[in-house]
Amino acid sequence: MQVKNFWYLFAAYSTIWTALCVYMIRLSQKNKALQAELRDLRAQIERVLAK
Amino acid sequence: MRILGTMLLFFIVFPLVFVRRNSLFQITIMYITMIVAIFLVFIYAPTEKVQGIVQKIFYFHVSSAVTMSFAFFVVFIASIMYLWKNSDWWDAVALSAAEIGVVFCTLVLITGPIWARPIWGTWWSWDPTLTLSLVLWLIYVAYLMLRIDAHDSKRARFAAILGIVGFVDVPLILWSVEKWRTLHPKPVLIQEGGTTGLTSAMLLTFMVCLGAFLLLFFYLLRERISVLQSRHALEVLRHEIDEILAG
């Protein structure tokens, strides 16, 4: 009974960890990509204005 | 009771310090708190006599539910502020909190049935608490679907109203847990008369888990708002580039 129920416990905690990790990584990647795009655009504007 | 009060104060005040710090500090504190929470759940907290090891799902299931309720409360407040001030920042807070709230609500709806199967003998029961939780999830998924086109101010206002009205479901869930006699157990954290149904070790474990989840919420909220602000800044810059090129 205890061993069988262990798998329910394992499933619950694995789901929580996996979901939170995927969400955090996705958010962080999106943030980094947007920051990089912002830097590129700012540099582009500076180049255009310098000309 | 004094320890409980101090811890609650800590959990209310600390996130305010936390949101002002840089990301690395946040991640480090969150990581340490999560590790301590996991240690307490699996090593320190005693195994419950009736339900056995599967009762340990309680710590993260209830913490997710409290964090979800808090997230939707933030949506409620931020939506009121948006309608009042018409400020994009409040709209970004509401949208970010709604998305995070849906993530935690999904976790509640997944871990609940996993816990229910060995205890109730069924994955799902259409009892008021579970049904209202599913309705809450659907309301805020609808909110997010409305906000796919985030730049439409008409949609943003309609979503704000939905965010305010949808929050009514949260106290209804709390009420259903307390008042309705269903498969879902009555609250053990705070029972009638202000006592707790948990041992001190279980209570401490739960409080640390709740603290870890609230810290995670504040971290995610900050990251999500940052994404929305970066998108807005990008649009402004693209517009500037178009104007420069046209001029």
Side-chain angles (χ1 to χ4, degrees):
Chain A
M1 184 70 178
Q2 281 290 324
V3 176
K4 190 186 163 197
N5 284 351
F6 169 80
W7 290 107
Y8 290 106
L9 183 70
F10 178 76
Y13 277 82
S14 306
T15 308
I16 290 170
W17 280 122
T18 311
L20 289 178
C21 283
V22 167
Y23 185 63
M24 276 175 75
I25 291 167
R26 201 180 66 97
L27 213 54
S28 170
Q29 281 176 343
K30 208 185 275 182
N31 217 348
K32 275 181 189 164
L34 282 168
Q35 294 294 338
E37 208 175 335
L38 263 176
R39 271 196 305 274
D40 287 350
L41 273 179
R42 279 189 186 128
Q44 215 175 313
I45 286 179
E46 275 172 22
R47 274 199 301 274
V48 171
L49 289 176
K51 280 179 189 173
Chain B
M1 268 322 263
R2 194 179 289 171
I3 297 170
L4 189 66
T6 313
M7 287 187 78
L8 276 174
L9 190 70
F10 172 76
F11 290 140
I12 292 166
V13 173
F14 190 68
L16 299 176
V17 181
F18 188 73
V19 288
R20 289 173 176 274
R21 299 284 172 177
N22 63 52
S23 200
L24 185 68
F25 173 79
Q26 287 185 349
I27 288 172
T28 312
I29 294 291
M30 204 172 61
Y31 181 75
I32 293 169
T33 321
M34 275 290 180
I35 295 297
V36 172
I38 287 289
F39 171 81
L40 291 175
V41 169
F42 289 101
I43 311 290
Y44 176 71
T47 305
E48 210 254 352
K49 282 176 189 163
V50 180
Q51 295 188 20
I53 199 167
V54 80
Q55 182 271 343
K56 285 177 187 286
I57 294 174
F58 160 84
Y59 300 108
F60 273 30
H61 173 75
V62 180
S63 297
S64 299
V66 175
T67 311
M68 165 202 88
S69 306
F70 184 69
F72 293 142
F73 177 67
V74 172
V75 179
F76 173 74
I77 297 292
S79 298
I80 291 172
M81 293 305 287
Y82 172 68
L83 291 176
W84 183 27
K85 303 268 184 189
N86 203 18
S87 146
D88 284 343
W89 191 80
W90 284 113
D91 183 46
V93 173
L95 177 56
S96 306
E99 190 180 289
I100 300 162
V102 166
V103 170
F104 281 103
C105 192
T106 308
L107 291 177
V108 172
L109 289 172
I110 293 172
T111 55
I114 294 174
W115 188 8
R117 183 72 182 92
I119 303 302
W120 302 345
T122 180
W123 295 100
W124 184 264
S125 153
W126 291 101
D127 84 357
T129 308
L130 275 67
T131 310
L132 284 170
S133 302
L134 182 64
V135 168
L136 185 72
W137 185 80
L138 290 170
I139 288 170
Y140 285 95
V141 166
Y143 176 100
L144 294 179
M145 287 172 83
L146 254 178
R147 300 307 310 276
I148 287 172
D149 181 11
H151 312 295
D152 187 343
S153 64
K154 221 177 198 178
R155 279 188 183 210
R157 281 176 180 278
F158 187 70
I161 293 165
L162 183 64
I164 294 165
V165 175
F167 183 71
V168 173
D169 199 22
V170 175
L172 269 177
I173 293 171
L174 294 173
W175 185 75
S176 74
V177 172
E178 214 164 294
K179 299 294 175 193
W180 256 307
R181 284 172 183 267
T182 61
L183 270 176
H184 194 281
K186 290 200 172 293
V188 289
L189 192 63
I190 302 165
Q191 294 175 326
E192 280 177 38
T195 56
T196 177
L198 299 173
T199 65
S200 55
M202 285 175 167
L203 186 63
L204 175 73
T205 306
F206 171 73
M207 294 304 279
V208 173
C209 290
L210 180 60
F213 271 59
L214 287 176
L215 291 179
L216 179 63
F217 168 75
F218 281 101
Y219 168 75
L220 292 174
L221 186 67
R222 189 181 142 140
E223 284 284 304
R224 190 67 183 88
I225 291 172
S226 173
V227 166
L228 290 173
Q229 285 176 332
S230 299
R231 266 191 201 149
H232 180 71
L234 263 176
E235 273 169 32
V236 172
L237 275 180
R238 277 186 191 134
H239 186 69
E240 272 179 31
I241 288 175
D242 287 345
E243 277 184 354
I244 290 167
L245 292 175

